[in-house]
């Protein structure tokens, strides 16, 4: 979910807008295939203009040139995954052990075809038309299918592997393939394990595509968890108790409606190693679920886990990860555990097992599940009972000691379903003292401070929930809803009729999307577009908050991030150099685009320069293209891997109130522009120039250095 808040205010009128839409995740981009004859073989992908908010379907055609997939694939996690050498090596060893003779191998979610090529090599597949000694590769994402075919041709594997641009549940034995497969190889896992449809895919393959007594790589997966105390994690979900400590007197969460603003009840992917000493471990690791790949998994499962605590404290979250056993014998493993976990110990301490030391990578993180409210108080050696459940796509937890409080949490919402779901970072922002001082809180704050204000609140993405929320907050903060007019429809343009023929004297906005949804900082400039549309309604002396956005940058050492995005060469004996340009790899023959990252979670990091202004976005004027540059002087020795870019929001015309979203701020993602090759900064130091150009029609910002 993406959230956007905007407020139009005057001494007699305020407008607040909250829009909500969805954005596909990097590895699971939704595609729509048209079935009519006129569009046979075409696939469409949704593209969103970050400035206008408008969406359009982009045609992905099998016959178009190789340049077409570049912008789609360069922002996915494929490159990061292919740079995970521990993963690649584990799969290669397991496939070599499992595919030991001529057979039919099915590869689900083939990507570049790496696992298919490993299987073909393991059994020395010939070009016979026999169903024995063959590899069937399924990949539903057309741009990746096109890239896979290039990889197969470059490695002389195109005649040994049959590629189907289909989901595996669209594959039919007797129609697409002559027989069922003997071996299943797959990598359809997310950080939570189940989110990419692992269970439904395994179920369909078991029922329709595989022989009896089939073999699989991986063989099984086991999820583990650990109880932790962390103030930071608590602040990411409990706004009601968090804002009890703020001094502005505004309550965004009314008493008795503690979950009216809340995070979704799900696990959230996070690099938990970045929290370091801020985490206090309250238990040893414990086993939760075991998912077998070699037999048909159940869609739903429940288990009760008894956990003995190791310290006094408050359980704010469960951190979880998974361990893959890739071979049947139990010698080859891959783990997504945090670094404080000794991986073999979570697998019966088998010292002879093959565990590689995993480098930092972004495609698989740990997961965080928040406990309710202030958390669960525990004493050392206490037996804590946790109920765990999984559906076919997710895993959830419930503590018995907290289940009795769930009725209290929901008693006022059960009939109205009036809660608003936000990201964890957004919840934490709203409880942050510095943030509240900078922006106060839009229409709530204006109505609270100015008793003569009239508020026009627009919630086009929330419908009646917006009205219900404002009513609850009005009651809590002691102002009348008589001064609040709510517009729930998606109006393309406000008119003077909406402001009772009054010009707007004050425009207040929260002009950016929160970082958890993969948006670059400048892709929140939709506010500038909306302000331009309202130009005729603004008073001559209108005040606009924020009045300016400043694009900032600094040089960074990011060895772990750069390593995960570096150009590919040979992966377990298979040439992948031809994918680098398409996947946006860092290298002399390709240019890496800007990516959004929580820099503080990017492994080893170091600032190598002061902060510089690249250019400014003047919100006092209508939307326009602009450009700028800055000379970056290095102040520290080290290795520069790229630059962090972000926007500082200037809230007032005197530049006294500035809200930064830079690398030191955890709640926002920054843009990262990686260098083609790392630059060593010696004692003499040096400098470089960053240039940026903002295109107001597309909302895109191009960044170059020289």
């Amino acid at each position: 979910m993406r959230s956007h808040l905007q407020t139009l205010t005057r001494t007699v009128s305020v407008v607040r807008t909250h829009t909500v839409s969805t954005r596909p995740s990097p590895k699971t981009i939704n595609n729509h295939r048209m079935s009519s004859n006129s569009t046979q073989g075409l696939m469409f992908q949704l593209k969103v203009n970050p400035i206008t908010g408008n969406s359009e379907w982009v045609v992905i055609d099998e016959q178009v040139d190789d340049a077409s997939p570049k912008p789609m694939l360069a922002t996915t996690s494929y490159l990061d995954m292919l740079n995970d050498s521990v993963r690649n090596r584990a799969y290669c060893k397991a496939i070599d052990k499992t595919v030991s003779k001529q057979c039919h191998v099915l590869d689900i979610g083939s990507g570049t075809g790496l696992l298919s090529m490993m299987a073909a090599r393991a059994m020395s597949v010939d070009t016979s038309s026999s169903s024995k000694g063959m590899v069937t590769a399924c990949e539903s994402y057309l741009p990746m299918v096109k890239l896979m075919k290039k990889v197969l041709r470059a490695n002389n594997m195109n005649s040994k592997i049959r590629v189907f641009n289909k989901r595996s549940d669209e594959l039919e034995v007797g129609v697409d393939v002559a027989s069922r497969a003997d071996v299943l190889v797959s990598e359809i896992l997310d950080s939570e394990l189940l989110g990419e449809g692992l269970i439904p895919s395994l179920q369909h393959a078991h029922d329709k595509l595989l022989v009896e007594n089939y073999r699989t790589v991986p063989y099984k997966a086991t999820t583990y968890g650990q109880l932790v105390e962390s103030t930071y994690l608590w602040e990411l979900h409990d706004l009601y108790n968090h804002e009890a400590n703020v001094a502005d007197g505004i309550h965004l969460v009314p008493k008795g409606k503690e979950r009216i603003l809340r995070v979704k009840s799900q696990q959230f992917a996070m690099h938990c190693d970045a929290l370091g000493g801020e985490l206090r471990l309250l238990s040893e690791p414990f086993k939760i679920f075991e998912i077998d790949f070699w037999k048909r998994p159940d869609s739903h499962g429940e288990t009760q886990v008894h956990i003995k605590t190791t310290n006094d404290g408050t359980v704010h979250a469960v951190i979880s990860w998974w361990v893959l056993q890739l071979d049947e014998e139990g010698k080859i493993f891959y783990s997504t555990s945090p670094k404080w976990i000794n991986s073999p110990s979570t697998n019966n301490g088998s010292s002879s097992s093959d565990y590689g030391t995993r480098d930092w990578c972004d495609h698989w993180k740990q997961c965080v599940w928040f406990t309710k409210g202030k958390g669960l108080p525990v004493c050392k050696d206490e037996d804590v009972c946790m109920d765990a459940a999984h559906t076919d796509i997710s895993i959830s937890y419930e503590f018995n000691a907290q289940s009795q409080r769930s009725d209290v949490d929901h008693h006022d919402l059960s009939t109205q379903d009036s809660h608003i779901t936000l990201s964890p970072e957004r919840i934490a922002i709203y409880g942050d003292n510095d943030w509240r001082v900078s922006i106060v809180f839009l229409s709530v704050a204006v109505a609270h401070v100015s008793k003569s204000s009239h508020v026009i609140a627009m919630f086009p993405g929330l419908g009646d929930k917006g009205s219900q929320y404002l009513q609850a907050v009005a009651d809590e903060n002691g102002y009348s809803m008589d001064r609040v007019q709510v517009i729930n429809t998606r109006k393309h343009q406000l008119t003077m009729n909406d402001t009772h023929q009054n010009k707007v004297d004050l425009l207040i906005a929260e002009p950016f999307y929160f970082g958890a949804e993969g948006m670059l900082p400048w892709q929140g400039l939709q506010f500038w577009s909306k302000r331009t549309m309202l130009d005729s309604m603004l008073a001559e002396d209108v005040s606009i908050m924020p009045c300016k956005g400043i694009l900032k940058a600094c040089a960074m050492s990011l060895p772990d991030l750069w390593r995960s995005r570096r150009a590919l060469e040979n992966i377990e004996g298979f040439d992948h150099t031809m994918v680098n340009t398409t996947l946006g790899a860092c290298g002399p023959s390709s240019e890496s685009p800007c990516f959004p990252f929580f820099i503080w979670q990017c492994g080893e990091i170091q600032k190598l320069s002061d902060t510089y202004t690249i250019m400014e976005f003047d919100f006092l004027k209508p939307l326009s293209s602009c450009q700028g540059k800055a000379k970056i002087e290095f102040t520290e020795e080290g290795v520069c891997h790229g630059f962090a870019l972000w926007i500082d929001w200037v809230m007032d015309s005197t530049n006294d109130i500035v809200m930064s979203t830079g690398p030191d701020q955890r709640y926002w993602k920054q843009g990262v522009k990686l260098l083609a090759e790392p630059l060593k900064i010696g004692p003499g130091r040096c400098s470089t120039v960053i240039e940026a150009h903002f295109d107001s029609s597309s909302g895109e910002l191009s960044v170059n250095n020289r």
Side-chain angles (χ1 to χ4, degrees):
M1 179 179 291
R2 187 178 66 208
S3 174
H4 177 250
L5 295 165
Q6 175 181 303
T7 305
L8 245 178
T9 73
R10 57 175 283 113
T11 52
V12 294
S13 108
V14 180
V15 177
R16 175 184 176 198
T17 308
H18 185 134
T19 62
V20 180
S21 62
T22 57
R23 180 177 177 85
S25 62
K27 281 188 63 182
T28 55
I29 302 173
N30 294 318
N31 297 290
H32 297 261
R33 185 184 299 277
M34 304 298 292
S35 58
S36 63
N37 291 334
S38 62
T39 56
Q40 191 70 33
L42 296 182
M43 191 170 288
F44 297 79
Q45 183 169 10
L46 190 65
K47 181 179 180 180
V48 180
N49 184 310
I51 288 296
T52 64
N54 297 330
S55 302
E56 63 176 340
W57 289 103
V58 178
V59 178
I60 307 171
D61 190 343
E62 179 69 36
Q63 304 304 319
V64 298
D65 60 46
D66 290 336
S68 61
K70 291 179 186 177
M72 301 169 192
L73 293 178
T75 56
T76 66
S77 61
Y78 287 111
L79 181 62
D80 180 88
M81 188 181 310
L82 290 167
N83 266 313
D84 187 349
S85 59
V86 175
R87 163 195 173 269
N88 300 336
R89 186 164 56 251
Y91 265 94
C92 186
K93 289 181 178 180
I95 288 174
D96 284 345
K97 285 182 64 174
T98 305
V99 185
S100 57
K101 61 182 180 180
Q102 296 285 304
C103 61
H104 181 189
V105 177
L106 172 63
D107 179 6
I108 295 179
S110 305
T112 63
L114 178 61
L115 304 188
S116 291
M117 292 189 293
M118 290 177 179
R121 181 178 62 187
M123 59 182 170
S124 301
V125 172
D126 57 30
T127 57
S128 168
S129 61
S130 168
S131 62
K132 290 298 180 182
M134 64 179 291
V135 178
T136 299
C138 284
E139 173 57 55
S140 64
Y141 189 34
L142 180 57
M144 184 51 69
V145 170
K146 296 171 66 177
L147 193 60
M148 187 200 318
K149 290 179 177 179
K150 291 177 63 175
V151 175
L152 297 181
R153 286 194 298 269
N155 288 278
N156 297 316
M157 285 282 184
N158 51 308
S159 64
K160 304 177 181 182
I161 299 168
R162 294 190 64 190
V163 178
F164 291 91
N165 180 206
K166 293 183 174 183
R167 298 196 313 265
S168 61
D169 59 6
E170 296 174 327
L171 201 65
E172 295 184 51
V173 174
V175 177
D176 301 302
V177 292
S179 65
R180 289 178 175 243
D182 305 289
V183 178
L184 170 66
V185 298
S186 63
E187 192 281 86
I188 43 176
L189 316 170
D190 68 350
S191 295
E192 189 181 15
L193 184 67
L194 305 181
E196 289 190 8
L198 172 65
I199 287 179
S201 298
L202 292 177
Q203 289 173 335
H204 180 267
H206 175 278
D207 296 343
K208 302 292 185 181
L209 302 175
L210 299 170
V211 300
E212 291 186 12
N213 301 317
Y214 57 89
R215 289 161 288 158
T216 64
V217 177
Y219 184 74
K220 68 177 180 180
T222 305
T223 63
Y224 293 89
Q226 194 165 21
L227 307 182
V228 300
E229 180 180 83
S230 167
T231 300
Y232 175 78
L233 295 180
W234 166 68
E235 291 174 348
L236 289 177
H237 75 95
D238 184 14
L239 179 57
Y240 175 74
N241 289 298
H242 189 191
E243 72 173 355
N245 301 319
V246 300
D248 54 37
I250 297 175
H251 301 284
L252 307 181
V253 182
K255 186 176 181 180
K257 298 185 178 182
E258 286 82 357
R259 290 170 62 81
I260 196 169
L261 288 181
R262 66 179 188 179
V263 298
K264 194 172 182 179
S265 295
Q266 67 175 46
Q267 298 198 75
F268 293 91
M270 182 182 296
H271 291 287
C272 293
D273 285 314
L275 291 169
E278 297 177 53
L279 284 177
R280 187 160 177 265
L281 305 180
L282 299 180
S283 77
E284 295 294 335
F286 48 85
K287 179 179 174 180
I288 305 173
F289 283 115
E290 192 168 275
I291 305 294
D292 293 314
F293 289 58
W294 56 272
K295 65 181 181 181
R296 193 183 197 279
D298 295 327
S299 295
H300 300 274
E302 296 180 358
T303 187
Q304 192 169 83
V305 184
H306 291 271
I307 310 155
K308 184 170 288 293
T309 58
T310 56
N311 285 294
D312 298 339
T314 300
V315 179
H316 291 129
V318 178
I319 290 179
S320 65
W321 62 93
W322 45 258
V323 175
L324 282 184
Q325 178 183 321
L326 287 103
D327 63 326
E328 183 175 358
E329 187 181 3
K331 296 292 185 181
I332 305 172
F333 295 90
Y334 180 96
S335 174
T336 63
S337 64
K339 289 184 178 179
W340 68 76
I341 299 296
N342 180 8
S343 293
S345 71
T346 60
N347 196 69
N348 300 322
S350 178
S351 60
S352 61
S353 299
D354 185 355
Y355 268 96
T357 301
R358 191 173 76 124
D359 291 330
W360 182 94
C361 56
D362 198 53
H363 61 98
W364 287 324
K365 311 176 183 71
Q366 295 78 48
C367 280
V368 174
W369 174 275
F370 301 116
T371 57
K372 291 187 178 75
K374 292 183 178 180
L376 177 66
V378 296
C379 297
K380 184 178 179 180
D381 295 328
E382 181 178 343
D383 185 40
V384 175
C385 184
M386 185 184 81
D387 293 322
H390 76 76
T391 66
D392 54 359
I393 59 171
S394 66
I395 300 173
S396 60
Y397 312 119
E398 180 78 49
F399 289 95
N400 287 352
Q402 290 195 308
S403 61
Q404 300 298 321
R405 288 155 48 185
S406 62
D407 292 338
V408 176
D409 290 338
H410 295 280
H411 76 276
D412 211 32
L413 304 173
S414 58
T415 58
Q416 299 185 39
D417 189 31
S418 59
H419 66 265
I420 296 173
T421 302
L422 300 174
S423 76
E425 289 77 20
R426 194 53 128 207
I427 291 291
I429 286 170
Y430 288 161
D432 181 72
N433 270 306
D434 292 338
W435 160 249
R436 292 168 75 113
V437 168
S438 296
I439 204 168
V440 193
F441 190 77
L442 308 178
S443 56
V444 174
V446 171
H448 183 78
V449 172
S450 177
K451 300 302 181 182
S452 62
S453 295
H454 180 73
V455 180
I456 301 176
M458 295 188 66
F459 291 85
L462 293 176
D464 290 338
K465 289 184 180 181
S467 304
Q468 294 167 7
Y469 172 71
L470 276 188
Q471 179 64 66
V473 175
D475 294 342
E476 180 72 13
N477 290 278
Y479 66 83
S480 172
M481 278 293 286
D482 293 342
R483 294 184 285 118
V484 180
Q485 174 189 348
V486 180
I487 300 176
N488 290 327
T489 58
R490 291 184 178 273
K491 296 193 65 171
H492 178 70
Q493 175 73 61
L494 289 181
T495 68
M496 294 293 290
N497 291 331
D498 296 304
T499 60
H500 310 289
Q501 306 304 314
N502 292 311
K503 289 278 188 175
V504 175
D505 296 316
L506 175 61
L507 171 63
I508 305 178
E510 181 182 352
F512 49 83
Y513 299 113
F514 52 73
E517 299 301 327
M519 301 292 286
L520 288 159
W522 45 88
Q523 290 178 332
L525 291 174
Q526 188 179 134
F527 158 68
W528 201 5
S529 173
K530 299 297 185 185
R531 170 256 177 270
T532 303
M533 293 170 62
L534 295 167
D535 198 52
S536 63
M537 298 175 56
L538 303 180
E540 290 186 7
D541 58 347
V542 63
S543 296
I544 297 177
M545 297 175 58
C547 62
K548 182 166 55 179
I550 306 176
L551 182 66
K552 297 280 189 173
C554 69
M556 298 289 300
S557 176
L558 300 162
D560 294 320
L561 179 57
W562 191 90
R563 191 183 303 115
S564 74
R565 302 293 311 180
R566 64 187 169 189
L568 300 168
E569 296 180 356
N570 184 290
I571 303 179
E572 298 299 321
F574 298 105
D575 182 14
H576 273 68
T577 55
M578 72 295 302
V579 309
N580 287 323
T581 299
T582 304
L583 295 184
C586 302
S589 61
S590 62
E591 182 178 355
S592 175
C594 286
F595 297 99
F597 284 102
F598 289 114
I599 287 182
W600 71 278
Q601 293 187 37
C602 287
E604 183 182 343
I605 61 173
Q606 181 189 0
K607 290 182 66 173
L608 299 178
S609 75
D610 293 329
T611 296
Y612 292 85
T613 295
I614 307 301
M615 64 182 188
E616 297 184 355
F617 308 101
D618 187 355
F619 303 143
L620 299 178
K621 300 177 181 178
L623 176 68
S624 63
S625 297
C626 49
Q627 59 187 4
K629 64 180 179 179
K631 183 179 181 181
I632 307 293
E633 300 277 356
F634 293 99
T635 58
E636 301 289 337
E637 295 182 26
V639 178
C640 179
H641 297 91
F643 303 92
L645 299 108
W646 66 93
I647 293 181
D648 280 357
W649 304 95
V650 181
M651 305 306 294
D652 64 325
S653 59
T654 59
N655 294 345
D656 291 329
I657 304 175
V658 180
M659 189 186 66
S660 178
T661 61
D664 297 331
Q665 307 299 319
R666 289 183 170 184
Y667 303 140
W668 288 273
K669 286 186 177 180
Q670 295 77 41
V672 176
K673 176 68 175 181
L674 294 173
L675 299 175
E677 295 288 347
L679 177 63
K680 187 173 183 180
I681 311 302
R685 307 201 174 109
C686 58
S687 64
T688 187
V689 174
I690 294 182
E691 299 178 334
H693 178 269
F694 174 70
D695 184 345
S696 61
S697 62
S698 66
E700 298 299 327
L701 185 106
S702 59
V703 179
N704 299 289
N705 71 282
R706 57 180 174 82

